[in-house]
Amino acid sequence: MTIAVAAPVSPAELEARLRLHRLPDLGPVRYQKLLQAFGSASKAISAPASAWRSLGLPASCAEARRAEDIRDGAYHALAWLERPGQHLLMWDQPDYPALLAEISDAPPLLFVAGDPGILDKPQLAMVGSRRASR
């Protein structure tokens, strides 16, 4: 993914990005496609459904973008961000982890509780299952 670092986002743009993030059937690749096509999440939210369809996006995305539960989810995320120690890292901002930004389907938003600076340090993860099958 090629990322051009953007200026800090406005409150309206932040809310629009949070709404896009909550849409059904809209993963990282489609999220990026919307931002590239419209120039911003705010413009994407405001665009007609026909413009979304012309990009090959599922109808479920375009229909849900103005739904009450999508708006409510964005407002809950904004409230979460107001609490101390809560951060939102966006793929086109300078504080987004550089190595993660290199993958083609990097998550457009990272919600971080605590110090986001540790994301640039070596990490260890263990993946397992509580009820592993044979």
Side-chain angles (χ1 to χ4, degrees):
M1 172 185 330
T2 304
I3 295 178
V5 177
V9 298
S10 68
E13 178 66 10
L14 175 59
E15 190 262 339
R17 287 182 181 208
L18 291 168
R19 284 172 61 184
L20 287 181
H21 186 258
R22 297 189 48 80
L23 291 177
D25 304 318
L26 188 75
V29 174
R30 288 177 174 161
Y31 188 105
Q32 183 182 13
K33 184 183 228 181
L34 277 170
L35 290 185
Q36 287 176 343
F38 296 107
S40 73
S42 300
K43 290 178 184 175
I45 290 287
S46 301
S50 60
W52 284 46
R53 284 192 303 274
S54 71
L55 294 172
L57 297 171
S60 58
C61 291
E63 293 166 5
R65 67 196 158 127
R66 294 189 177 112
E68 185 177 340
D69 63 324
I70 298 296
R71 281 194 313 271
D72 288 348
Y75 293 131
H76 282 88
L78 287 169
W80 181 84
L81 287 168
E82 290 177 4
R83 297 190 339 225
Q86 313 296 54
H87 306 276
L88 180 65
L89 308 180
M90 294 178 266
W91 62 269
D92 61 346
Q93 297 296 308
D95 55 353
Y96 193 88
L99 290 176
L100 185 58
E102 290 181 15
I103 66 172
S104 62
D105 60 347
L109 306 177
L110 292 177
F111 295 85
V112 179
D115 179 11
I118 66 168
L119 296 175
D120 286 324
K121 296 183 178 177
Q123 305 287 316
L124 174 67
M126 293 180 65
V127 179
S129 174
R130 292 182 183 191
R131 293 185 201 100
S133 62
R134 289 183 225 186

